[in-house]
Amino acid sequence: MQIHQTIAALRVARAKAGRVALVPTMGNLHEGHIALMTQARAHADQVIATIFVNRLQFHPGEDFEKYPRTFADDCAKLEAAGVEHLFAPDEAEMYPQPQGYHVEPPPDQAGVLDGEFRPGHFRGVATVVMKLFQIAQADVALFGKKDYQQLMVIRNMVREFNLPLEIVPGETVRAADGLALSSRNGYLSVDERAEAPRLYRVLTELAAAVRQGARNYAELEARAMNTLSSKGWAPDYVALRKMHDLQSPSAHDSGLVVLAAARLGSTRLIDNLEV
Ligand code: PAF
């Protein structure tokens, strides 16, 4: 695998790479990321993974400083997955001066759900992803459904800016007990890790109720939040939304997804399930 730390070096390699699939990450790679790399291979001649912990998408007080940085391990995993190129710039390469121009996703997409609890997060994500797209000039880019709202924001950005690449979603990869794989799972204590799969169970139960015909969405959401609270979680939201725009559904809408974010101890976990 070739490791490129500069935009110039990546561009030289990209020019010779044929059809390219891009998989942006912040590192600390797990099986969910590796599944995206494997999926990417089916779409392109060469795969470019990126590792960059993007300060712009963390707001003050979040875990930017302590976000796990495991570069050597990540490189070994990418090598084993057969990835051809890793773009791993430092902050000076990505932001040689403070970023003055930003991609501002509309508030109905980026100010709800996670955006409500993490102000500016999706602006930071959209801005760095736009930069990565301009740098890598990929034909296709892959993003996991675990970050469902992020996927929607990026898809809409690509459509509205007429960017010449295809966005391909990857399914969420889960541990045997149902917990969605996430770099932040590493923050959990042993007891918290044992409790963490409850988030997925709560979503599964809510989705099952909707599939069986329940339409009392507000009540179902409140019940799910109460279950989490009663087990020591601090839920930010459990919300049923329409898959395509993440707006609230009416009783006859189909194509729903239930999304949740909740804090367990000091770790904030998110998950979702298509209904
Ligand atoms: O999902 C992530 O890891 C990040 O939000 C991304 C897409 C790499 C942008 O920094």
Side-chain angles (χ1 to χ4, degrees), residues 23-27 33 50-55 57-58 67 121 124-126 128-129 132 142-144 147 150 154 183:
V23 188
T25 82
M26 296 204 299
H33 295 113
T50 76
I51 295 181
F52 179 65
V53 185
N54 173 39
R55 186 186 290 274
Q57 69 190 74
F58 293 78
Y67 198 85
H121 171 66
V125 170
V128 78
V129 169
L132 291 170
L142 290 92
F143 295 88
D147 296 299
Q150 166 172 288
I154 292 169
S183 301

Side-chain angles (χ1 to χ4, degrees), residues 92-110:
E93 184 69 9
M94 285 300 275
Y95 300 123
Q97 67 262 334
Q99 184 74 18
Y101 288 80
H102 294 89
V103 178
E104 188 74 65
D108 65 332
Q109 291 167 36

Side-chain angles (χ1 to χ4, degrees), residues 3-133:
I3 301 176
H4 312 282
Q5 276 157 337
T6 65
I7 295 167
L10 182 74
R11 284 197 164 137
V12 170
R14 193 276 163 262
K16 302 179 200 147
R19 188 175 159 82
V20 159
L22 182 73
V23 188
T25 82
M26 296 204 299
N28 193 233
L29 304 180
H30 50 65
E31 281 171 45
H33 295 113
I34 300 307
L36 284 178
M37 306 295 162
T38 309
Q39 196 181 343
R41 161 124 343 280
H43 290 270
D45 302 318
Q46 298 203 359
V47 176
I48 303 178
T50 76
I51 295 181
F52 179 65
V53 185
N54 173 39
R55 186 186 290 274
L56 289 191
Q57 69 190 74
F58 293 78
H59 70 79
E62 286 193 329
D63 54 346
F64 173 74
E65 302 297 344
K66 77 163 187 177
Y67 198 85
R69 287 152 172 95
T70 51
F71 191 69
D73 272 13
D74 292 346
C75 287
K77 288 177 184 169
L78 292 172
E79 284 272 11
V83 167
E84 284 83 4
H85 302 277
L86 169 61
F87 179 51
D90 63 13
E91 279 205 86
E93 184 69 9
M94 285 300 275
Y95 300 123
Q97 67 262 334
Q99 184 74 18
Y101 288 80
H102 294 89
V103 178
E104 188 74 65
D108 65 332
Q109 291 167 36
V112 298
L113 302 169
D114 248 44
E116 187 185 334
F117 293 91
R118 304 185 69 191
H121 171 66
F122 290 110
R123 174 194 213 239
V125 170
T127 301
V128 78
V129 169
M130 177 66 101
K131 283 172 75 95
L132 291 170
F133 286 172

Side-chain angles (χ1 to χ4, degrees), residues 247-270:
Q247 301 304 305
S248 297
S250 68
H252 14 260
D253 282 318
S254 55
L256 306 187
V257 55
V258 56
L259 307 103
R263 209 170 283 278
L264 188 54
S266 58
T267 307
R268 188 173 183 276
L269 299 178
I270 62 170

Side-chain angles (χ1 to χ4, degrees), residues 144-213:
K145 283 191 189 177
K146 157 87 171 29
D147 296 299
Y148 209 88
Q149 190 172 7
Q150 166 172 288
L151 175 62
M152 187 203 64
V153 165
I154 292 169
R155 273 186 156 150
N156 289 343
M157 176 181 86
V158 165
R159 200 186 57 243
E160 290 200 13
F161 282 112
N162 310 97
L163 302 182
L165 83 168
E166 185 194 347
I167 301 299
V168 173
E171 292 303 324
T172 301
V173 178
R174 298 183 181 281
D177 59 10
L179 178 65
L181 299 191
S182 162
S183 301
R184 291 190 168 97
N185 293 350
Y187 299 154
L188 299 168
S189 68
V190 173
D191 288 350
E192 289 166 350
R193 176 60 189 84
E195 171 61 21
R198 188 180 307 280
L199 187 61
Y200 179 57
R201 287 205 298 276
V202 160
L203 295 183
T204 308
E205 282 163 25
L206 197 156
V210 174
R211 282 191 204 109
Q212 283 155 24

